Every structure is written in C-alpha cells, then in structure tokens.
Amino acid sequence: MTRSGQEYLEALRDGREVWLDGERVKDVTVHPAFRSAAASFARLHDLAADPAHGSVLRAGGVHRAYAVPRSYEDLVARRRAYKLWAEASYGFLGRTPDYMASGAAGFAAVPDVFTGEGFDGAPNALAFHRRLAESDLFCAFTITNPASGTGEDDLLVRVVEERDDGIVVRGAKTVGTGAVFADEILVGTIEPLAPDDTEHALTFSVPVDTPGLRLVSRTSYEQRARSVFDQPLSARYDENDALLVCDDVFVPWERVLTYRDPATTAGMWWRTPAYLNFTHQSATRFWTKLEFLTGLAILIIRSNGTDKLPAVTQAVGRLLGMVAQAKAFVLGAEASWEEVDGGRGGVRPGQEISFAQRIMAGEIHPRAVADIRLLAGGALIQLPASGRDLLHPELGPLLRKYVRTPGETAEDRIKLLKLAWDALGSEFAGRHEHYERFYQGAPHVYLTMQTWAGGADDCEALARACLDGYDLGTVR
C-alpha cells in the first residue's frame, strides 16, 4: 500500500511526545517548528502515490527501496527512485523514508544474521521489513550513544526488566534525524561494542507514540526562518535531529531484533547489505545535492557578471568535476555489484567503492561550499533583512534602484543571494556541512571498515610485487 501525503500527516497526529524549547509540541503537522518539513515529507508520499511516477518509485505495490535487488538492473532502478525523491528537496532531506526502507531490505536479504546464541531475531527482522513495506511507514533510527559512561549512572539504552511478553528499556540515544516525523523508530547501536557488553547489545523498533518515549528536538531552523523567500531551504527542509529518551518503555518481544548479543547487534549492519544500501541512497542524494550547489554557483556568477572570467570558469569546472566524481561513485558501486549470501540474498552495491564514497563526500562537500562562497563574494553579507523591505512603500523603490544588476531585477538578485546564503552560510548550512562529514556515522567506524575491506590485499600485493622484483644484485 502507498499512502498519500494527507494520510501520512494524519498518522503523525498520534499524541507523540515531542519537546522543543521547554514546550511539549501537541501536533508536529501544525507547529511552526515542524509543519513545513512535515509537508515536504508528505509531498514525497504524494509523489510515490502519483501514477506519473509509479514505475520509478514503486515495485510490487510498495516503494522500490523495500525491494531486495536481484540484479544490477534492480540496483539501477532503485537508484532512480532515490534520485527522484532526492531532487524533490534538492538533496537537503537526508533521512527520507527510503533510507531506512533500504536498510530493512538489507535485513530481509540475510535474516539469519539476526539469529544469535540466546535469541533468534530473524523472524522479527523479516516482520519489521514486511510491516514497513506493506503499511508504507516512515522509520527513523537512533543508533548513536550519548557521550556518557556506564556503571551505576548508566544513561545508555538498556533493559531494566524482562517479562514474558517483552522487555522494558531505559536510557537515551542521540541524533534521531527525522525522528519527530517518523511513524516508527529503530533503536540500536552501530558503534563497536565490547564482546562482553551484553547490557547494551540490543535493537528494537517501536511506534513513535509509544508511552515513555520522548523526543527532545534541537533548535528548529524552520521556526527561525522569516519566510520561504528569506530562508527557502531551512523554511522547508529542516528534517530536525532529536535526543531520544526511553523512560521505562515497554517493547514486545516481536519488535526486538537483537538481544544481549554484541555479535548480532553489530552484524545486522555489517553482515547484511543494510549499510551498503544506506550508502547507495545517501550517495545518490549527495550527488543530487552537489548538482544543486553547482547549479547555484552558475546562477551566482551569471548574476555577478563574472561568468566569462577565466579564474571563475575554472572554479566552476572544478565544481562540475566534483559532481561527476559523486556520480561516478554511485555508478561505480552499482557496476561493481556483489552477490549477497551466494546470491540467495540478491545483490548489493560494491563494498569498496561504497565505503570510499563516504570518505569522498565528507571531504569534498566543505571544499565545494568554500569554492561557491568565493564565487559569490561579499554580496552574501549585504542583504536586506527580509522580503518585507522590498514590499515597503519607501524602502522598496530604493532597493529596486540600487540592488539590481544589468538584466536582473533587485527582487530576483536578492532572492538568489538569500537562497545562496541559506545553502552556504546560515546555521542550517552549517548543520549540513557537519552532517555530510558524519552522515554514515563517525569516520572511526567506516574508515576502519574500509581499511580492511578487501582492496587492501590488492594494494599490498602490487607494492610487494614491485619490492620483490629487485634486490642488492641490482647495485652497480
């Protein structure tokens, strides 16, 4: 079943406990801190329900991200669905519903990974995937522990009671991106756990309105935005991040995926295609975002009248090269596809290129932003406070006279530069720069996985072949 945007919004009016700035938010669909982002997520659902996009976004009656790819062609089809949704927010909504949908498909591809020594979560992992797909649910996740120690004052999510019908959990998780807009939230950990740390080795998924579950939102950039004209991105695409607090939350056994088992708790990400599926979606979104940023740079230099200067055209050439690089990582990961579980779990994007994409994205995004800010020049810091200035009967004519450029009205120039500032220099933009660095987790996690992902053997073998090809006998 594919929900409409209105059906999605109605589902958010469930009494969930969301807190912002000392206030409990009664309804995220109408609150000024969340309503426009909720509407942006709703638009994605409408796109999926639209027959004009059905062949791209749906397969077998569900969103294509839920399908377990069985061939290279399936990977390409899934990427096209990712791209269509990414373009709807210009790459600024990162944790759209297809993100966790692709992760759930990764779990379903190799459910045996969830079978541990003391708990078998395989049936629950399959049910999790089926529930999300068939009900077209938006699932967010919190898989990062707060920076707090354990012991007597243990603040991490853990089990405090085990019952016949389930478990009771207490503790916190951080960086619940998009959680306030989700139907369900997956709670787990992707950080390395000690082999004997069974206390924190659990994964479960619950509805966001579960009693005892609280979400504490960070500052809302949407709420701070004056208007779409003044902050066009932050006013519409602030997906938010929240602290999740479980205050004795009851979780039925059928919603528990891993339990007191560090091996399965980590393996669900690394021994299934889930993480690589995440990267496939995020790499497509990142490519889309770089396309947008580069297009913005082109509009800026044309507005400035500098588009024929050699140094400027070279700078745009570098940006276009970054776009091609981002695209190449997506296409390369698809072309280097690998079988999952001997083909029984379908196929996944190539691991080495997928992991390398995360390194690349975290490094080139700040460079791209810095280069575009240089192209924009000082105009970004000399803008009217808001669009109201243009509407004022006395001030408006002055701005229209002195801010215009040849061939461009003052309104069009101010509109462009406000978009540029929101993408490059605002607090919303600063969050996105940090976001791209940590999008797939901390570098110490994925860089470690990349180091010994298989390519290291080939690199070492090639260097060893050269080293072994000569000795002291070559000295004259």
Side-chain angles (χ1 to χ4, degrees), residues 385-413:
S386 78
R388 289 183 179 180
D389 290 339
L390 283 165
L391 298 174
H392 191 275
E394 295 183 27
L395 186 57
L398 290 177
L399 292 174
R400 288 185 171 87
K401 178 179 181 180
Y402 290 108
V403 182
R404 64 185 173 85
T405 63
E408 186 177 43
T409 66
E411 181 176 330
D412 286 343
R413 180 161 174 79

Side-chain angles (χ1 to χ4, degrees), residues 28-319:
V28 297
T29 69
V30 297
H31 193 281
F34 305 108
R35 62 192 178 198
S36 294
S40 294
F41 282 115
R43 180 169 177 251
L44 300 181
H45 284 277
D46 285 335
L47 284 173
D50 186 344
H53 303 293
S55 61
V56 175
L57 290 172
R58 297 194 302 274
V62 301
H63 194 286
R64 194 174 290 276
Y66 286 111
V68 176
R70 300 288 172 183
S71 65
Y72 164 73
E73 289 75 18
D74 286 348
L75 289 176
V76 172
R78 186 173 69 178
R79 179 248 301 161
R80 288 174 177 158
Y82 292 155
K83 192 76 167 62
L84 182 59
W85 263 13
E87 289 176 351
S89 66
Y90 313 100
F92 283 91
L93 286 179
R95 297 286 196 254
T96 44
D98 53 346
Y99 189 82
M100 193 61 234
S102 68
F107 301 156
V110 198
D112 291 349
V113 169
F114 291 84
T115 302
E117 293 184 6
F119 181 80
D120 186 4
N124 295 349
L126 290 171
F128 171 72
H129 172 251
R130 184 168 57 251
R131 179 174 68 252
L132 296 186
E134 293 178 353
S135 299
D136 194 23
L137 299 180
F138 179 0
C139 185
F141 64 60
T142 52
I143 56 177
T144 303
N145 289 324
S148 59
T150 59
E152 292 185 7
D153 192 22
D154 190 347
L155 304 182
L156 311 186
V157 171
R158 65 206 182 281
V159 177
V160 294
E161 183 183 354
E162 185 176 309
R163 298 174 7 185
D164 291 341
D165 53 349
I167 55 177
V168 177
V169 299
R170 186 184 302 161
K173 291 282 181 177
T174 63
V175 201
T177 302
V180 298
F181 305 107
D183 299 291
E184 285 196 19
I185 186 159
L186 182 76
V187 182
T189 182
I190 200 169
E191 300 167 352
L193 293 173
D196 60 348
D197 188 6
T198 58
E199 192 72 14
H200 305 104
L202 72 153
T203 311
F204 58 88
S205 182
V206 291
V208 177
D209 66 340
T210 298
L213 190 152
R214 295 182 173 91
L215 293 171
V216 183
S217 169
R218 60 146 166 83
T219 296
S220 169
Y221 307 133
E222 175 182 330
Q223 188 173 32
R224 289 184 172 185
R226 301 286 295 272
S227 67
V228 173
F229 181 87
D230 292 302
Q231 288 94 18
L233 300 174
S234 51
R236 296 179 291 174
Y237 307 122
D238 180 14
E239 61 189 343
N240 206 273
D241 309 284
L243 170 73
L244 174 137
V245 178
C246 294
D247 187 6
D248 292 352
V249 170
F250 172 69
V251 183
W253 283 119
E254 59 268 23
R255 285 182 167 271
V256 179
L257 303 186
T258 71
Y259 187 62
R260 296 190 182 279
D261 188 340
T264 57
T265 300
M268 62 181 284
W269 309 111
W270 307 111
R271 292 170 52 211
T272 76
Y275 187 89
L276 294 177
N277 287 354
F278 286 159
T279 304
H280 193 202
Q281 188 269 3
S282 65
T284 304
R285 179 203 57 82
F286 182 75
W287 163 25
T288 304
K289 190 178 190 180
L290 273 189
E291 285 183 322
F292 166 80
L293 291 174
T294 300
L296 185 60
I298 293 171
L299 294 177
I300 289 170
I301 63 172
R302 287 180 175 166
S303 175
N304 289 346
T306 58
D307 53 312
K308 299 297 190 295
L309 298 178
V312 171
T313 58
Q314 289 171 17
V316 173
R318 285 192 296 272
L319 290 169

Side-chain angles (χ1 to χ4, degrees), residues 355-421:
F355 284 0
Q357 190 276 339
R358 294 314 311 143
I359 302 170
M360 176 275 299
E363 292 177 350
I364 74 169
H365 180 268
R367 286 166 43 202
V369 168
D371 287 351
I372 299 169
R373 291 179 72 168
L374 286 174
L375 292 173
L380 289 179
I381 59 174
Q382 183 60 62
L383 286 170
S386 78
R388 289 183 179 180
D389 290 339
L390 283 165
L391 298 174
H392 191 275
E394 295 183 27
L395 186 57
L398 290 177
L399 292 174
R400 288 185 171 87
K401 178 179 181 180
Y402 290 108
V403 182
R404 64 185 173 85
T405 63
E408 186 177 43
T409 66
E411 181 176 330
D412 286 343
R413 180 161 174 79
I414 291 170
K415 181 181 177 182
L416 170 63
L417 293 176
K418 280 186 171 288
L419 172 60
W421 181 252

